[in-house]
Amino acid sequence: MPKLACAAALLMACSAAHADPLPSWNDTETKSAIIEFVDNVTKPGLDTYVTPEDRIAVFDNDGTLWAEQPLYFQALFALEILREKAQADPGILSSDVLRAANDGDMEGVMAGGIDGLIEIINVSHAAITPADFETSASEWLATAKHPTTGMAYAEMTYQPMVELLRYLRDEGFATYIVSGGGIDFIRSFADEAYGIPPWQVVGTEGNTSYSAESGTPTIMKDGGVTFIDDKEGKPVGIMRHIGKRPIFASGNSDGDFAMLEWTTAGEGPRFGMLLHHTDGDREFAYDREGHIGVLNRGLDEAAERGWTVIDMAEDWSRIWTGSR
């Protein structure tokens, strides 16, 4: 190889080696802690080295990888589908909760509790194939607009977290979503948004059924809930779908506490991380009170458990992957 070409190749290699893997993260202790952990578990010869097959990282979705205010995006999608169906057939509004949902009365919806939410799911998420459901969800995410930012919901993923997912995969990690959201809803966008394929999504599951009576083998979503992947359900969901304890876990609320607790209780190097929503100017500021993303125990115990807390306002130079 000519000397000039050799020098250019060397320069490119050096530049790649020193490129910032997390450019949307400010140079704070949080960023340093992440990079130090990754270096420690990926460099052969170190006592902290972890083989690639054990480099498993799990992430909550709502409030961790994308926004969750003023309501979980899947819930907003479900409400829109319910209203569309009610226009065609008002008879489906057979309960106070369904009528409240159709009227946009969120207090009335929340008053119904989990049973009321299941009623809404039974109307909006049932009698459809998973493939058709995922198509409907992905189209809605790309076109529907958030009520305060005006952005498409699909644009409201967090650029710093997308970079972190990519960085971990570049360093030999397998990245999974472990979310209280519906598994089919998340599968509709996870690969395009995060580079996470459908088989690496763990989420809340509903009833499904198989039939070949019409001559065409078909799987249908039948409504209801068979497994809730939230709180203590998250470690259970991880073992059901992944079969191995992660070494890296990230969430944003007390709904993720058990996942971080179980992950960091394992032997060897472990990393637990919580996203604290402190940026009311660029995103939303909330933690201890509210109906979504409540973070009490995580804030109180993070330091003693050795978990890293991301301060969104201080640690991130950019928020959205979208245009703003």
Side-chain angles (χ1 to χ4, degrees):
M1 180 184 293
K3 289 183 179 180
L4 186 58
C6 221
L10 180 60
L11 180 61
M12 290 178 63
C14 289
S15 297
H18 292 90
D20 185 351
L22 302 172
S24 295
W25 296 68
N26 292 322
D27 292 327
T28 62
E29 292 183 3
T30 300
K31 180 176 180 176
S32 298
I34 294 170
I35 293 175
E36 181 181 7
F37 174 80
V38 173
D39 286 346
N40 286 341
V41 299
T42 58
K43 289 184 178 178
L46 295 181
D47 292 340
T48 52
Y49 178 74
V50 175
T51 56
E53 58 266 25
D54 290 325
R55 293 179 206 159
I56 295 172
V58 293
F59 289 77
D60 170 57
N61 183 56
D62 295 306
T64 300
L65 298 180
W66 73 357
E68 62 181 356
Q69 298 289 347
L71 197 65
Y72 297 129
F73 294 174
Q74 183 174 1
L76 295 171
F77 167 72
L79 293 173
E80 182 159 328
I81 296 300
L82 181 144
R83 286 191 288 267
E84 290 177 0
K85 290 188 174 183
Q87 284 184 338
D89 178 13
I92 67 172
L93 302 177
S94 57
S95 72
D96 290 341
V97 166
L98 294 176
R99 286 187 286 272
N102 186 60
D103 294 338
D105 175 12
M106 295 314 302
E107 288 188 9
V109 170
M110 300 307 292
I114 187 65
D115 291 337
L117 294 176
I118 290 174
E119 282 190 72
I120 295 171
I121 288 171
N122 286 342
V123 171
S124 62
H125 286 42
I128 188 172
T129 67
D132 287 343
F133 175 83
E134 289 176 21
T135 297
S136 175
S138 62
E139 290 176 352
W140 180 83
L141 287 168
T143 57
K145 303 298 183 182
H146 187 273
T148 60
T149 68
M151 300 169 66
Y153 291 101
E155 296 179 310
M156 293 181 65
T157 52
Y158 300 137
Q159 178 64 23
M161 298 303 277
V162 172
E163 292 170 1
L164 176 55
L165 289 167
R166 186 184 304 119
Y167 172 45
L168 291 173
R169 289 193 293 268
D170 287 346
E171 296 296 332
F173 281 76
T175 56
Y176 291 80
I177 292 175
V178 180
S179 172
I183 192 167
D184 292 323
F185 184 78
I186 300 169
R187 284 173 171 170
S188 74
F189 62 85
D191 202 352
E192 182 175 353
Y194 310 128
I196 295 178
W199 54 89
Q200 288 177 207
V201 172
V202 182
T204 294
E205 301 171 26
N207 293 292
T208 55
S209 61
Y210 172 83
S211 173
E213 292 180 3
S214 64
T216 302
T218 304
I219 292 177
M220 296 293 292
K221 291 172 63 67
D222 297 327
V225 175
T226 59
F227 175 69
I228 297 177
D229 189 58
D230 194 29
K231 299 178 182 176
E232 288 75 17
K234 290 200 171 190
V236 175
I238 289 169
M239 287 308 298
R240 286 178 59 170
H241 288 264
I242 304 173
K244 187 176 288 188
R245 194 194 301 251
I247 67 168
F248 187 111
S250 180
N252 78 294
S253 75
D254 285 346
D256 305 309
F257 190 95
M259 179 172 74
L260 269 69
E261 181 179 52
W262 187 66
T263 295
T264 56
E267 296 181 359
R270 304 277 158 170
F271 198 91
M273 185 169 71
L274 288 167
L275 172 57
H276 188 193
H277 291 264
T278 58
D279 198 328
D281 293 328
R282 295 184 298 172
E283 203 243 7
F284 310 96
Y286 59 100
D287 45 41
R288 294 185 181 276
E289 297 180 359
H291 61 290
I292 286 176
V294 174
L295 183 62
N296 285 300
R297 191 178 178 190
L299 281 180
D300 292 340
E301 299 185 23
E304 66 185 73
R305 290 176 177 271
W307 297 348
T308 295
V309 178
I310 302 168
D311 183 322
M312 182 183 282
E314 297 295 326
D315 291 328
W316 287 359
S317 62
R318 173 180 173 182
I319 303 292
W320 311 113
T321 56
S323 58
R324 299 187 185 186

